[in-house]
Amino acid sequence: MNRTTLSLIAGTAALAAVTGFAALNEPDAPAADTAEAAAVLPVERTGLLCPAPSASDLAETTYTSFTPVTKGAASDGSAQLRSAPRESTDTSAGDDDGKTTEDGKTTDKTDTDTDTDTDKSAGDQKADDKKTAAAKPVLTPKAPGTPVTGETSGADGPALVGTAEGRFAPGWTVQQTTQVTAGNGRGLLGVTCTAPDTEFWFPGVSTAADRTDYVHLTNPDDSAAVADIELYGKDGTVATTVGEGLTIPAHSSEPILLSTLTGEKQDDLTVHVNVRSGRVGAAVQALDDKLGGDWLAASTDPAGTLVVPGIPKDATAVRLVVFAPGDADADLKVQLAAPSGLITPAGQETLHVKGGMTTAVDLGDVTRGEPGSLVLTPADGSAPVVAAVRIVRGKGDKQESAFIPATGPVGTRASVVGNGAKDTTLSLTAPTGTAKVKVTASAGTGGGTPASQTYTIKQGTTQDVQLPVPAGLKGTYALTVENLTATPVYASRTLTATDGGIPGFTVQTLPDDRGTVAVPEADEDLTVLQK
């Protein structure tokens, strides 16, 4: 044998010895997994964003904040809502678009600062005004379990950036409700302030001549966010002029008028907000010349089955708008969950939605004097869709409109605030099975004793439940809904306020409040060092 062959044999023998040692000394297989299930703990920090409420001088806005009492939450903490500077992409707007103060006051100064202030330019003073508005909390909650309100009026109400920590974080909820007595978009406008995210779908917007729709984007972070706004109509993608690469500066908000993005006039569109970098809060303010206005919250993520809960029993017109992202078509079965069970609207048994296109259908007075919820399920295939409905109440020149997006189930718990003793309706629906639900009414903003009630919601039905109003109620109160069963329950709340014979109303859905998070049990595993 030559030297090379001998070396190869020796190397092979050595490798076999090493391999044999490894096989004989392989670590014992880990015992069966006996780790405990992930612990469910309260979240420690929550962020919420509220859009600028109105551009009307006649607007009266109320903010209501509430954190439900959560077992295991921290013993301390804080929550605050602060204003964010308002920007604008509307080139017709004047310099006042940057104002954030509600009363026009400037930063408080000592007498020794007077001469310095006199020398400041108008631009420097405006910057100081912004800092002052951002530094002063608009609303500061006092304790979990009791709602707190704040108010503003006129057209200068800013967008708000909120942060809750410790005991205030689990389930923190903020409602923004605005009443406008006259003009474009008059009526009752309400929106639940939302957590920042990177993607939003809004079926139901419009660029029609009688509509003025704004997409409000609010950036809570220290760096600028960049977002794209895409529009989809009945024929697919709608060409836009400046919808790509929109920059939202740090700690600021921008209302973007949809009609400035495209020249096309369409009654039913879907807006897709896709955030390239950073994160934002997003909501659509839809204002109608004749039918009033309201906020349109984002639909739940695209899915094959969707639920739109809590259509008021006195709705005179219901318009369903559906969009199918991607190229696949969706065929949907349309059902109404009424108090007696699931029924199919006559002539609207199924709905075909082409991929990448927005489809709208008028359901008329589909509820026929009873509360109801729309349930959309796949009729053929399971292409995901997003959806929302536009509701009209009233007749003739005394009509008002509002929106309900498809939403997720209540989950473990959800809360909604700003409820009055006689102006609130809570709708609950359980499309797939019978469920038991506990509803708790908190103390009022000015006093009162909490009250609770448990309800059974039969499979396939929608119920407007008789609410447990707090004893000795003063002010408004919060409603907390807890699902006591594994059956999915969907919920929405309707607020009403009649003004001049016009039935003003607004509807907010109650998806899970994400007040808790699963934290898996972790153990040391030294065997990884032997691998």
Side-chain angles (χ1 to χ4, degrees):
M1 291 185 189
N2 57 33
R3 188 183 300 263
T4 302
T5 303
L6 290 172
S7 300
L8 180 59
I9 293 172
T12 303
L15 179 59
V18 172
T19 305
F21 177 83
L24 292 172
N25 293 274
E26 181 179 1
D28 293 335
D33 186 8
T34 58
E36 296 180 3
V40 178
L41 301 177
V43 299
E44 297 179 352
R45 182 182 175 89
T46 299
L48 294 177
L49 304 172
C50 309
S54 179
S56 171
D57 291 332
L58 302 176
E60 298 291 337
T61 299
T62 300
Y63 300 98
T64 309
S65 168
F66 175 74
T67 296
V69 176
T70 303
K71 184 180 180 179
S75 59
D76 57 2
S78 63
Q80 289 184 341
L81 282 169
R82 299 178 183 272
S83 60
R86 181 187 297 186
E87 307 294 337
S88 176
T89 57
D90 185 354
T91 55
S92 65
D95 294 338
D96 287 343
D97 286 341
K99 290 183 179 179
T100 62
T101 55
E102 298 176 17
D103 53 10
K105 294 181 180 179
T106 59
T107 307
D108 290 336
K109 297 284 185 178
T110 61
D111 292 340
T112 56
D113 293 330
T114 304
D115 294 339
T116 304
D117 290 343
T118 304
D119 294 335
K120 285 187 176 182
S121 67
D124 290 339
Q125 188 62 55
K126 184 176 290 187
D128 283 347
D129 288 348
K130 287 185 177 182
K131 292 178 180 178
T132 301
K136 182 180 178 182
V138 176
L139 184 152
T140 302
K142 296 179 180 179
T146 302
V148 177
T149 63
E151 297 180 347
T152 187
S153 61
D156 291 331
L160 302 181
V161 177
T163 302
E165 297 179 333
R167 63 175 182 156
F168 289 94
W172 187 38
T173 302
V174 177
Q175 167 79 11
Q176 174 182 294
T177 305
T178 303
Q179 187 153 15
V180 180
T181 55
N184 184 30
R186 54 97 180 102
L188 193 66
L189 296 81
V191 64
T192 301
C193 302
T194 59
D197 208 338
T198 57
E199 186 176 38
F200 304 87
W201 296 95
F202 298 97
V205 302
S206 176
T207 54
D210 55 355
R211 284 276 290 274
T212 306
D213 287 14
Y214 291 86
V215 180
H216 287 246
L217 302 180
T218 305
N219 177 9
D221 297 325
D222 295 332
S223 58
V226 179
D228 297 333
I229 296 180
E230 301 163 341
L231 300 179
Y232 298 92
K234 60 183 180 180
D235 299 317
T237 303
V238 175
T240 59
T241 53
V242 290
E244 295 185 356
L246 297 170
T247 299
I248 303 93
H251 303 293
S252 69
S253 181
E254 291 196 12
I256 300 162
L257 182 61
L258 287 184
S259 61
T260 63
L261 302 183
T262 179
E264 291 192 31
K265 301 295 183 183
Q266 292 198 32
D267 290 330
D268 304 290
L269 292 169
T270 298
V271 164
H272 180 215
V273 176
N274 183 45
V275 184
R276 294 189 194 178
S277 64
R279 55 188 190 144
V280 301
V284 170
Q285 189 177 47
L287 309 177
D288 192 286
D289 290 343
K290 298 179 181 178
L291 300 178
D294 204 356
W295 290 96
L296 170 59
S299 170
T300 191
D301 292 338
T305 298
L306 295 177
V307 177
V308 182
I311 300 173
K313 61 183 180 181
D314 59 351
T316 55
V318 177
R319 186 171 181 82
L320 172 64
V321 183
V322 184
F323 173 73
D327 299 326
D329 293 359
D331 287 292
L332 301 172
K333 184 178 181 180
V334 180
Q335 292 179 295
L336 181 74
S340 58
L342 288 170
I343 60 175
T344 301
Q348 304 292 348
E349 294 83 0
T350 60
L351 180 65
H352 180 72
V353 185
K354 294 183 178 180
M357 301 182 187
T358 297
T359 298
V361 57
D362 281 320
L363 301 178
D365 57 344
V366 65
T367 57
R368 298 187 180 278
E370 295 184 326
S373 303
L374 285 181
V375 181
L376 308 178
T377 55
D380 182 18
S382 58
V385 296
V386 293
V389 298
R390 186 189 190 191
I391 304 155
V392 176
R393 294 172 68 231
K395 296 181 179 180
D397 60 353
K398 294 185 177 181
Q399 297 183 81
E400 162 76 317
S401 59
F403 297 87
I404 309 176
T407 187
V410 168
T412 302
R413 182 186 67 183
S415 298
V416 65
V417 292
N419 306 289
K422 298 180 180 180
D423 62 3
T424 301
T425 302
L426 178 66
S427 294
L428 303 172
T429 185
T432 61
T434 298
K436 185 172 289 187
V437 177
K438 180 181 178 182
V439 178
T440 300
S442 75
T445 53
T449 303
S452 297
Q453 181 68 44
T454 300
Y455 307 91
T456 297
I457 312 300
K458 294 182 179 180
Q459 179 178 351
T461 68
T462 296
Q463 293 185 27
D464 284 355
V465 298
Q466 185 71 33
L467 292 175
V469 178
L473 173 66
K474 294 181 180 179
T476 61
Y477 64 98
L479 286 170
T480 298
V481 179
E482 298 174 85
N483 188 359
L484 304 180
T485 57
T487 301
V489 174
Y490 299 80
S492 71
R493 184 277 312 271
T494 300
L495 283 180
T496 59
T498 301
D499 181 66
I502 298 174
F505 74 114
T506 181
V507 184
Q508 283 73 53
T509 59
L510 281 78
D512 188 271
D513 65 15
R514 300 180 182 180
T516 57
V517 62
V519 180
E521 187 77 18
D523 291 322
E524 290 184 356
D525 184 6
L526 297 179
T527 61
V528 298
L529 301 177
Q530 301 176 5
K531 296 179 181 179

